């Protein structure tokens, strides 16, 4: 191995992120290895320039992992911003705290607009089909329709129970019939945990 070959290898290592931009070519060849093999044959003094030229001619059929992650994070942040905006507008329309809606959305769906339950509840605020229809929802998976309808229903429960947040949340989860039947939060483990978790989140 001559000094030019050693220099080529050292300069390849200095590229640092070469591995991250090396995606599979159509022939399944490892791009990094291909560039290395060709670089070792370089005899000119501008080895790094030769390597860069080789990189520019190699096929890249997929974005680098860093770029893909950046794009994914950008989409996620955009979605979070949209949901936050929807919640803020719903809170203003129905006169309830935005943080309460956030706490319900977090507990119900984890901010996943496509979430569904085994019982048939769907969307960000997990509306049951009958409730959604009664509130005029045409697409339960549409974030704006779902959040506005869920917020409206939550407001109705708050009004029904004179602003008692625990009872309103219990009614949201188990139905007002059960709250009335037990004259308070029903003795259902799921409902009791539900109310406790949302109250903890709201007051955190």
């Amino acid at each position: 191995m001559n000094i030019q070959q050693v220099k080529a290898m050292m300069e390849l290592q200095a590229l640092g992120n070469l591995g991250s931009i090396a995606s599979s070519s159509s022939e399944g060849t490892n791009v990094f290895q291909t560039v290395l093999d060709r670089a070792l044959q370089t005899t000119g003094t501008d080895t790094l320039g030769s390597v860069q030229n080789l990189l520019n001619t190699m096929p890249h059929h997929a974005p680098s992992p860093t770029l893909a992650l950046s794009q994914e994070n950008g989409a996620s942040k955009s979605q979070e911003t949209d949901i936050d905006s929807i919640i803020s507008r719903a809170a203003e329309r129905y006169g309830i705290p935005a943080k309460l809606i956030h706490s319900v959305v977090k507990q119900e769906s984890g901010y996943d607009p496509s979430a569904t339950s085994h019982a048939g509840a769907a969307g960000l605020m997990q509306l049951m089909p009958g409730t959604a229809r009664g509130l005029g929802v045409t697409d339960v998976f549409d974030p704006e329709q779902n959040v506005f309808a869920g917020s409206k229903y939550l407001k109705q429960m708050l009004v029904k129970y004179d602003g008692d947040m625990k009872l309103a949340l219990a009614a949201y989860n188990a139905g007002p019939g059960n709250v009335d039947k037990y004259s308070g939060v029903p003795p259902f483990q799921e409902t009791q945990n539900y109310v406790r978790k949302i109250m903890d989140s709201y007051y955190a």
Side-chain angles (χ1 to χ4, degrees), residues 148-177:
F148 270 73
S151 299
K152 181 178 181 179
Y153 184 69
L154 184 58
K155 173 67 173 184
Q156 291 173 350
M157 295 302 100
L158 285 165
V159 170
K160 177 177 175 63
Y161 295 107
D162 299 320
D164 189 316
M165 195 178 297
K166 287 185 177 180
L167 295 183
L169 291 171
Y172 193 96
N173 176 260

Side-chain angles (χ1 to χ4, degrees), residues 94-164:
Y94 298 111
I96 57 180
K99 189 173 183 181
L100 177 59
I101 303 175
H102 271 288
S103 296
V104 172
V105 170
K106 179 181 178 181
Q107 179 63 31
E108 290 283 3
S109 66
Y111 291 94
D112 180 3
S114 63
T116 57
S117 75
H118 65 277
L124 288 168
M125 296 188 74
Q126 290 292 278
L127 301 178
M128 292 296 289
T131 302
R133 284 193 299 272
L135 292 167
V137 175
T138 57
D139 180 0
V140 75
F141 295 109
D142 177 73
E144 182 149 349
Q145 289 192 49
N146 193 289
V147 169
F148 270 73
S151 299
K152 181 178 181 179
Y153 184 69
L154 184 58
K155 173 67 173 184
Q156 291 173 350
M157 295 302 100
L158 285 165
V159 170
K160 177 177 175 63
Y161 295 107
D162 299 320
D164 189 316

Side-chain angles (χ1 to χ4, degrees), residues 58-125:
M58 295 303 295
H60 300 292
H61 297 282
S64 71
T66 302
L67 177 59
L69 181 60
S70 175
Q71 292 172 335
E72 181 180 336
N73 286 342
S76 177
K77 289 182 182 299
S78 175
Q79 184 182 64
E80 288 175 4
T81 301
D82 289 344
I83 293 174
D84 186 68
S85 173
I86 291 169
I87 290 175
S88 295
R89 288 186 283 111
E92 183 176 357
R93 174 175 294 185
Y94 298 111
I96 57 180
K99 189 173 183 181
L100 177 59
I101 303 175
H102 271 288
S103 296
V104 172
V105 170
K106 179 181 178 181
Q107 179 63 31
E108 290 283 3
S109 66
Y111 291 94
D112 180 3
S114 63
T116 57
S117 75
H118 65 277
L124 288 168
M125 296 188 74

